[in-house]
Every structure is written in structure tokens, then in C-alpha cells.
């Protein structure tokens, strides 16, 4: 009887673990309107003990959210991360939060928050490479709503930790955040201290640092 009860208890626990894992994985693609258009759109999202929460009508396009939240945390709000590689690797080994209707064009938010922390408001980062690889490897980026809406608009901010206010930096120029993809404008001001990328759940403060390379994406593609 004791052996039977023990086996039953172990099976119950294991079933609970599998169910919980399945539910977490389903949370990545549970909405029928997300991760539907393009190849390997959300492959690897939330893998390696990470977490990815992808809302309705999000992540549509070739590899759009591939490996997002891989070994880290990614939250993609509704209507965001459309087009090729739009949010690939977002929050990989770090944390990325994308507001609604943001990161809309090829590579718009590619690699944001990989090993760091990136927060994108709503209606932001619309343009090719607009916010590419910001808030990575121990750095932080906070972009407000309706900001960084042009090709390469805020890409030059990848070298440090910055805050971009709402309704800001929607074109390239000397009086904007970026003069070009690599040259900063007058609005670029490093106002955030560097941060250590998170190891705990998104609701807690970052506690430790892990370095991830976006080459991990190739693993997800081959799977």
C-alpha cells in the first residue's frame, strides 16, 4: 500500500509538472492570431527555462519572435513585432517588454533586452532597425509611447542606458536621439544607470547577470 501510494504521489507530481510546463509553452502561442505568419515565427520562445508571453495578433513574420525570452523573459503586447526578425531574440538571457502596436518592420526590435533590460512603449519603434539591439548586455533602455518611429531612429543608443520620452525621436537629425544609425544627436542623454540582467521572474528586480549570444538563435532555427 505504501509503495502504491508513493508511486501515485510521484506520478501526480510529475503530471503536475508536465501540465504546468505545457501551459507555460502554450502561453507563448495560445492565441490563434499570434505566431501564425512566416516560418519559425516563435520557435524557441521561452525555452531554456525562460518565459515568453505573446498576446493577440503579435509576432507575425518570418522569425519575428524567434527565441524571444530564451533563458530570460519577454512580454509582447497585442499587434506588435511584425515583419522579418522584428523581435528575434528579445529578452534572451535578459528582459524585454514591448507595448502594443510596436516594433513593426524588419529588425525593428531585433535582440532588445538580450542580457539586459528593454522596455518599449506603445506605438513605438516602427521602422527598419528602429530600435535594434538596445538594452543589451547589462544595459537598459526605456522608450516611451509613440517614439522612435523611423528607420534607424534610435539604433545609435545601443552603447549605453537611456530613456526616450513619449512622442520623441521620430526622425533622424542633430536635434533628435540619433543623427544616423551610429551617431547620436542632442537628445541622446544617458540617464539610466547600467543594470544587471534579471534571473528572477519579471515582477522582481534584476539580481544577477548572464551573458547570452544571439548565435543561440541558430539552435532554434535548426530545431
Amino acid at each position: 500500500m505504501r509503495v502504491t501510494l508513493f508511486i501515485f504521489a510521484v506520478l501526480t507530481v510529475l503530471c503536475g509538472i508536465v501540465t504546468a510546463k505545457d501551459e507555460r509553452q502554450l502561453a507563448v502561442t495560445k492565441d490563434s492570431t499570434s505566431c501564425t505568419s512566416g516560418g519559425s515565427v516563435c520557435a524557441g520562445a521561452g525555452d531554456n527555462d525562460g518565459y515568453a508571453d505573446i498576446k493577440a495578433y503579435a509576432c507575425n513574420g518570418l522569425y519575428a519572435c524567434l527565441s524571444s525570452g530564451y533563458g530570460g523573459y519577454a512580454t509582447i503586447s497585442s499587434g506588435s513585432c511584425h515583419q522579418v526578425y522584428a523581435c528575434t531574440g528579445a529578452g534572451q538571457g535578459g528582459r524585454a517588454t514591448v507595448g502594443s502596436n510596436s516594433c513593426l518592420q524588419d529588425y525593428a526590435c531585433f535582440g532588445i533586452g538580450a542580457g539586459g533590460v528593454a522596455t518599449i512603449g506603445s506605438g513605438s519603434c516602427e521602422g527598419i532597425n528602429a530600435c535594434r539591439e538596445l538594452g543589451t548586455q547589462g544595459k537598459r533602455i526605456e522608450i516611451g509611447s509613440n517614439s522612435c518611429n523611423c528607420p534607424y531612429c534610435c539604433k545609435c543608443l545601443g552603447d549605453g542606458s537611456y530613456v526616450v520620452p513619449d512622442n520623441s525621436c521620430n526622425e533622424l537629425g542633430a536635434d533628435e536621439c540619433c543623427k544616423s544609425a551610429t551617431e547620436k544627436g542632442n537628445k541622446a542623454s544617458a540617464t539610466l544607470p547600467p543594470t544587471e540582467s534579471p534571473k528572477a521572474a519579471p515582477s522582481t528586480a534584476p539580481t544577477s547577470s548572464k551573458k547570452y549570444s544571439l548565435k543561440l538563435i541558430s539552435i532554434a532555427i535548426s530545431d
Side-chain angles (χ1 to χ4, degrees), residues 21 72 75 99 126 158 214:
K21 182 177 181 181
T75 300
E126 181 175 354
L214 288 176

Side-chain angles (χ1 to χ4, degrees), residues 41-99:
V41 185
C42 296
D47 283 359
N48 194 34
D49 296 323
Y51 178 76
D53 183 12
I54 299 173
K55 305 297 186 182
Y57 299 102
C59 299
N60 289 313
L62 183 65
Y63 306 136
C65 291
L66 178 73
S67 293
S68 58
Y70 182 98
Y73 304 95
T75 300
I76 312 296
S77 297
S78 59
S80 293
C81 300
H82 291 186
Q83 303 303 328
V84 178
Y85 292 108
C87 294
T88 299
Q92 189 180 97
R95 182 182 302 159
T97 302
V98 177

Side-chain angles (χ1 to χ4, degrees), residues 99-188:
S100 59
N101 302 307
S102 294
C103 304
L104 306 177
Q105 284 301 328
D106 296 354
Y107 296 93
C109 294
F110 178 92
I112 61 167
V117 177
T119 303
I120 310 295
S122 297
S124 295
C125 302
E126 181 175 354
I128 295 173
N129 291 306
C131 299
R132 181 173 179 166
E133 295 178 281
L134 302 184
T136 65
Q137 302 301 348
K139 296 182 284 292
R140 295 172 59 192
I141 188 76
E142 291 183 10
I143 294 176
S145 296
N146 305 309
S147 297
C148 302
N149 288 320
C150 76
Y152 301 96
C153 254
C154 293
K155 186 179 183 297
C156 74
L157 304 179
D159 66 340
S161 297
Y162 299 89
V163 172
V164 177
D166 295 344
N167 307 302
S168 298
C169 302
N170 288 312
E171 59 183 346
L172 295 173
D175 294 325
E176 300 297 329
C177 285
C178 298
K179 294 180 182 180
S180 68
T182 57
E183 189 178 6
K184 287 184 281 295
N186 297 332
K187 284 186 179 178

